[in-house]
Amino acid sequence: MDKNRLQRQLDMKRSLIDQGYLDEQFIQLEELQDEDSPNFVEDMVTMFYNNSARLLENIEQALVTGPIDFPKLDDYMHQFKGSSSSIGATRVKNECTRFLEHCTAGNAEGCVRTFLRVKQEHAILRTKLETYFQLARQAGSSASGGAKAR
Amino acid sequence: MSFSAPSMENGFSSPRNESFPAGLRVLVVDDDPTWLKILEKMLKKCSYEVTTCGLAREALKLLRERKDGYDIVISDVNMPDMDGFKLLEHVGLEMDLPVLMMSVDGETSRVMKGVQHGACDYLLKPIRMKELRNIWQHVFRKKIHEIRDIESHDSYDGIQISRNGSELSDDGHMFCGEDLAYVKKRKDFENKHDDIGDHSSTKKHRVVWSVDLHQKFVKAVNQIGFDSKYEVGPKKILDLMNVPWLTRENVASHLQKYRLYLSRLQKENDLKASLGGIKLSDLPSKDPAGSFGLQSSINGNQNDVPNGRYQFSGDNFFAQDVDSKNHEGDLKRVVSETKRTLTADLPDPQDMRTQMSFDHSFGSLDSEVNFAAIPAPYSWSKAPENQFKEEHKPLLQLEDGFSQLPPSGIHNHIQIDDPLQSASSITSGLSMTGREICGPEKIKPLYPQYSSNHMSILSPKESAFDSFPVQSKSQMVKHQSFEPISTAISSMKPQGFNLSCITDFESCQRNLISATDSTFEPFNEDLTVCWLEGDCHSMNFGLPNVEFTDYIDPGFIAEFPIYLCDTLTSDTECPFDPPEYSIVDQGLFLS
């Protein structure tokens, strides 16, 4: 195990949390990681991104297609928000909340605007997490979860 | 912590109880694959046995297939194929399992909705491990309540309700699958956890409302007149009952429960109305003719299944209207409702009266059987449980094929969320009623097909039997203290609900209605009170697998939950042994 690399991984994690990209849930995922599922966190993140692409697509379609169906949008976004909460994607979640506010208010423009923000945060986080997992791998499998090393 | 094995036996079908809560069988339903995996991992870490499901329909299917296969359900609110709340209702009605809702949305209104639909808890995503670690408490609580209810109503040790109406004890008691020892153990168990208990109606100073006692109670109530429910007061009832050692306070609390029962039935009716139509597939309607099933079953004649089964599974009793097949959905809902609303307290008689009008709730049945005891508007919606009004027109209007036995009624007593609990109580009650119900032969099992689950028929606890002249079918109706058989199909296997009973039910209803009155007309028609009897399991605590046995007790006995039992072959008297009855009572009233 490369101590430096481990340290880098931990530092990055700390930074992601401090900046609000990730929250407690992410830590919890790490704690769930064990011998049975050594790559649990990364697996979950991957699963999230795979699934969320579809959800975002649904939202986008609902936004661009004909008159906006706000209740439906609300449903879709709730689904997406719920999904984001699974990996602790805080910033993404927050943007979702803003979107939902506009949605409830029936504000189409606000929805479109906040939706773009949601997509943006979603993409930014993905990049960061990719880097993070790379560091984790480099730091050695035992430290990849970082469960012990908070 | 571990439950004493015997007592939990019924509740949990596996021996894992020994190391409870480890091995708790959890069914997780969530359309989000990520969450599903995460929850699975978390629950496994808690040493629970996890089954995941991405679709609500699939989940229901799993639950129905393995009635007793799960202890608790955790479901997301937002799901594409079915509204989480709807699933919640179904589960509550059919299986009487504790259900936890999850959502990323913690808005008060949503949470409230969840609770209204019967959720035991509402978890906010992201869900923490520690929250999941504690979910066993919901299962435990149900069991406790169940036991308590049984205890409270079980004035007779060894009340046994035979699950399949099979054997009767010497004195004609119906014995359920559990044996006396079991019952005793349960009692012990409950006693031990008495303090944990809580709102169960068995409280310290409780009077054991034996079948006889309850019958007297119902009789008194009926004498005062169902219609004058508003004036029915404990004092008056007490006077009429002429039981020297009984206090006004005892009667008052018992009355309250009775009312709750009735109102709950009503609520369920309402629910039912909104639900599709529950299919009581297994309603056992063996003997539609007038046998209020109960009797025969009680008598232990080996049952005609319908009769025999009084087992109430917790909340599963339903007064099913045979005719209302389509009320399956409603029934289910009702069941869940009743289950949920099962509270020990019976609302005011007034409420009951109004509530009992199952008519409303069950739109479908034309001939709404009015449970005498049932307050007029019986809405399945969480109406207070006391729908079961004893005075009642015993026949609960089985709307939608719900025998109005207000499942809630039974539940009321039980105060359990667990339908099983009520079922058990109902079972006892049923036995009693069986006796009474014997009379009318028309009573057809409401749900002939209802085989699987027991319906807990709210039978007033005790004494109900006395008031029922079992012998002839015609007599049966007399009492009509029919405690609305709650069609709580709580444990009913959804698939099993065929409301074939409903058809009978309707006729029963008619009968009931006519019978209602204090005069207790004999039921000529089949009482559609169907009770879905579950197997004795229902007695177990919160068994998910409450099955509705197929007996349907048409008898509406004022005090007894009306269950349309086809097995009720009226001709014979169904001697209700108190023990059996008390179980029923338990279901109904927790004195």
Side-chain angles (χ1 to χ4, degrees):
Chain A
M1 176 195 326
D2 184 322
K3 264 208 169 160
N4 274 342
R5 287 178 171 180
L6 174 58
Q7 196 52 51
R8 277 201 277 162
Q9 177 202 345
L10 298 177
D11 288 345
M12 181 171 188
K13 177 162 56 173
R14 178 96 317 250
S15 148
L16 288 173
I17 293 171
D18 290 344
Q19 291 175 69
Y21 286 102
L22 293 173
D23 62 23
E24 185 59 34
Q25 178 64 12
F26 191 82
I27 305 299
Q28 213 180 186
L29 290 187
E30 291 189 326
E31 284 170 2
L32 286 173
Q33 195 156 289
D34 56 17
E35 305 85 43
D36 293 337
S37 19
N39 297 309
F40 189 70
V41 191
E42 190 170 359
D43 291 343
M44 293 300 105
V45 170
T46 307
M47 202 183 270
F48 164 71
Y49 273 99
N50 288 341
N51 192 51
S52 58
R54 180 178 56 87
L55 298 176
L56 284 175
E57 183 55 35
N58 288 345
I59 297 171
E60 186 147 0
Q61 277 307 306
L63 276 174
V64 304
T65 309
I68 295 186
D69 181 347
F70 288 102
K72 200 189 228 181
L73 259 188
D74 187 273
D75 268 349
Y76 285 151
M77 186 45 90
H78 262 109
Q79 265 185 287
F80 179 79
K81 185 181 175 190
S83 202
S84 306
S85 67
S86 70
I87 60 163
T90 320
R91 283 203 182 185
V92 177
K93 232 179 29 162
N94 291 341
E95 293 301 335
C96 291
T97 306
R98 289 191 199 111
F99 176 97
L100 288 168
E101 284 165 9
H102 287 293
C103 196
T104 309
N107 179 353
E109 185 269 333
C111 284
V112 171
R113 195 167 22 91
T114 49
F115 178 66
L116 289 174
R117 303 265 306 264
V118 167
K119 281 217 293 187
Q120 207 173 27
E121 287 296 340
H122 182 253
I124 291 170
L125 181 64
R126 185 206 306 233
T127 311
K128 291 193 185 281
L129 285 174
E130 278 167 1
T131 308
Y132 174 75
F133 287 122
Q134 229 171 21
L135 287 180
R137 262 176 260 122
Q138 287 166 3
S141 57
S142 61
S144 59
K148 300 10 183 230
R150 283 272 294 265
Chain B
M1 110 182 358
S2 56
F3 289 105
S4 48
S7 48
M8 295 323 300
E9 238 164 40
N10 285 338
F12 292 113
S13 50
S14 73
R16 59 193 163 63
N17 301 329
E18 308 298 342
S19 57
F20 186 86
L24 196 73
R25 297 161 307 169
V26 187
L27 176 65
V28 186
V29 192
D30 197 330
D31 62 311
D32 186 83
T34 316
W35 266 118
L36 210 54
K37 262 276 166 261
I38 294 172
L39 288 168
E40 183 185 34
K41 188 85 183 152
M42 286 185 181
L43 290 164
K44 282 192 170 152
K45 284 231 157 171
C46 297
S47 306
Y48 294 154
E49 218 178 88
V50 191
T51 308
T52 58
C53 203
L55 288 174
R57 292 193 202 290
E58 183 62 32
L60 268 181
K61 185 162 166 281
L62 284 175
L63 286 164
R64 287 167 184 163
E65 279 170 5
R66 289 179 64 206
K67 286 246 164 212
D68 192 23
Y70 305 97
D71 298 311
I72 190 166
V73 179
I74 304 181
S75 168
D76 188 80
V77 166
N78 279 61
M79 284 192 291
D81 68 326
M82 188 193 290
D83 183 357
F85 295 116
K86 198 153 188 220
L87 173 66
L88 173 60
E89 280 174 3
H90 278 282
V91 175
L93 274 171
E94 300 174 30
M95 293 111 205
D96 189 31
L97 284 176
V99 182
L100 306 188
M101 301 302 292
M102 302 184 284
S103 180
V104 70
D105 179 3
E107 223 191 349
T108 305
S109 62
R110 295 223 107 198
V111 176
M112 194 175 291
K113 192 175 176 192
V115 175
Q116 277 172 345
H117 282 76
C120 290
D121 204 350
Y122 195 101
L123 307 175
L124 287 191
K125 285 178 170 176
I127 298 176
R128 300 276 170 262
M129 267 287 282
K130 56 188 179 211
E131 292 176 79
L132 293 180
R133 277 197 198 282
N134 284 335
I135 63 173
W136 60 264
Q137 64 176 288
H138 302 290
V139 180
F140 184 65
R141 189 177 297 118
K142 258 191 162 139
K143 296 280 181 267
I144 294 277
H145 290 179
E146 208 175 58
I147 295 174
R148 268 171 195 264
D149 287 332
I150 292 169
E151 285 284 314
S152 63
H153 294 284
D154 185 0
S155 51
Y156 314 85
D157 282 5
I159 283 191
Q160 302 169 354
I161 303 233
S162 52
R163 272 200 213 216
N164 307 309
S166 27
E167 16 194 331
L168 279 188
S169 65
D170 298 339
D171 39 0
H173 287 196
M174 292 224 343
F175 288 87
C176 63
E178 302 169 326
D179 59 17
L180 196 55
Y182 177 95
V183 174
K184 290 223 161 113
K185 278 187 183 149
R186 275 203 309 212
K187 283 188 178 183
D188 293 344
F189 177 71
E190 195 199 353
N191 291 336
K192 259 194 279 184
H193 298 268
D194 215 9
D195 50 340
I196 304 182
D198 61 322
H199 8 101
S200 126
S201 46
T202 51
K203 287 331 170 176
K204 351 262 173 141
H205 43 73
R206 46 180 222 236
V207 163
V208 172
W209 280 86
S210 68
V211 172
D212 287 340
L213 197 59
H214 181 72
Q215 278 190 340
K216 286 198 174 100
F217 171 82
V218 176
K219 199 173 188 173
V221 171
N222 289 329
Q223 265 180 267
I224 294 171
F226 184 58
D227 292 328
S228 58
K229 68 180 167 86
Y230 294 88
E231 296 136 28
V232 172
K235 173 96 179 60
K236 225 170 186 178
I237 298 172
L238 183 64
D239 291 344
L240 283 172
M241 281 176 74
N242 194 25
V243 174
W245 53 269
L246 200 62
T247 71
R248 190 195 155 286
E249 185 189 271
N250 297 143
V251 175
S253 79
H254 192 70
L255 178 62
Q256 197 184 19
K257 290 185 189 128
Y258 187 49
R259 285 178 177 154
L260 273 175
Y261 165 71
L262 294 177
S263 67
R264 190 193 162 114
L265 279 183
Q266 186 174 40
K267 269 201 246 170
E268 295 197 343
N269 278 344
D270 289 347
L271 274 185
K272 205 169 59 135
S274 40
L275 292 180
I278 297 186
K279 281 185 339 179
L280 302 174
S281 44
D282 300 326
L283 287 183
S285 29
K286 284 285 204 76
D287 199 350
S291 47
F292 271 88
L294 281 182
Q295 288 284 320
S296 23
S297 39
I298 298 190
N299 288 318
N301 285 334
Q302 307 316 91
N303 24 249
D304 301 335
V305 171
N307 287 333
R309 319 243 222 144
Y310 290 103
Q311 288 155 20
F312 316 64
S313 29
D315 301 86
N316 309 318
F317 51 90
F318 303 86
Q320 299 193 4
D321 185 348
V322 187
D323 293 318
S324 44
K325 293 194 201 182
N326 43 355
H327 297 293
E328 181 180 276
D330 293 348
L331 190 61
K332 291 198 194 146
R333 172 125 44 129
V334 172
V335 175
S336 59
E337 279 298 349
T338 43
K339 290 212 264 187
R340 300 190 212 267
T341 53
L342 204 79
T343 58
D345 302 302
L346 294 174
D348 295 344
Q350 292 183 237
D351 297 346
M352 284 213 312
R353 274 236 198 186
T354 46
Q355 284 160 3
M356 289 296 280
S357 42
F358 283 107
D359 299 0
H360 310 283
S361 6
F362 296 99
S364 43
L365 294 176
D366 322 39
S367 48
E368 303 192 279
V369 173
N370 285 301
F371 283 109
I374 304 178
Y378 186 77
S379 50
W380 283 107
S381 50
K382 308 216 221 168
E385 311 183 35
N386 37 39
Q387 312 243 343
F388 197 38
K389 206 167 185 43
E390 300 169 326
E391 337 191 60
H392 69 250
K393 305 244 143 206
L395 300 178
L396 282 181
Q397 307 178 337
L398 292 179
E399 295 190 85
D400 300 333
F402 272 105
S403 329
Q404 301 232 334
L405 271 195
S408 47
I410 301 196
H411 295 293
N412 281 324
H413 313 301
I414 307 208
Q415 269 220 324
I416 343 166
D417 310 318
D418 193 340
L420 284 183
Q421 258 173 306
S422 19
S424 2
S425 26
I426 300 199
T427 320
S428 40
L430 280 182
S431 355
M432 300 276 292
T433 0
R435 193 155 42 167
E436 306 272 332
I437 305 194
C438 283
E441 50 213 74
K442 291 302 204 51
I443 300 201
K444 296 193 232 196
L446 279 186
Y447 297 101
Q449 321 69 358
Y450 217 156
S451 48
S452 42
N453 305 316
H454 358 252
M455 254 216 338
S456 27
I457 295 214
L458 306 172
S459 48
K461 327 195 279 172
E462 40 244 349
S463 43
F465 281 116
D466 295 334
S467 42
F468 292 100
V470 174
Q471 354 344 39
S472 48
K473 307 202 184 152
S474 48
Q475 295 179 337
M476 292 275 309
V477 180
K478 296 278 180 107
H479 273 280
Q480 308 279 318
S481 24
F482 161 32
E483 301 202 317
I485 293 190
S486 35
T487 35
I489 304 201
S490 38
S491 44
M492 65 159 174
K493 302 192 208 190
Q495 36 200 331
F497 260 52
N498 303 301
L499 297 182
S500 41
C501 298
I502 302 212
T503 49
D504 291 337
F505 184 70
E506 270 190 332
S507 46
C508 278
Q509 274 193 339
R510 259 179 247 115
N511 284 331
L512 286 177
I513 296 186
S514 50
T516 7
D517 304 350
S518 323
T519 42
F520 296 117
E521 286 296 318
F523 281 94
N524 325 330
E525 316 187 26
D526 353 80
L527 275 186
T528 43
V529 177
C530 292
W531 39 307
L532 300 174
E533 296 172 67
D535 43 12
C536 265
H537 270 35
S538 38
M539 300 252 306
N540 341 284
F541 318 83
L543 281 188
N545 77 140
V546 181
E547 334 219 0
F548 283 103
T549 53
D550 34 272
Y551 58 77
I552 298 187
D553 287 320
F556 267 91
I557 297 187
E559 290 129 49
F560 292 96
I562 299 189
Y563 14 55
L564 297 177
C565 298
D566 51 355
T567 54
L568 261 188
T569 26
S570 41
D571 0 296
T572 44
E573 254 188 58
C574 308
F576 284 92
D577 289 314
E580 300 172 38
Y581 189 65
S582 42
I583 292 189
V584 173
D585 281 343
Q586 288 181 350
L588 289 178
F589 308 90
L590 289 178
S591 48

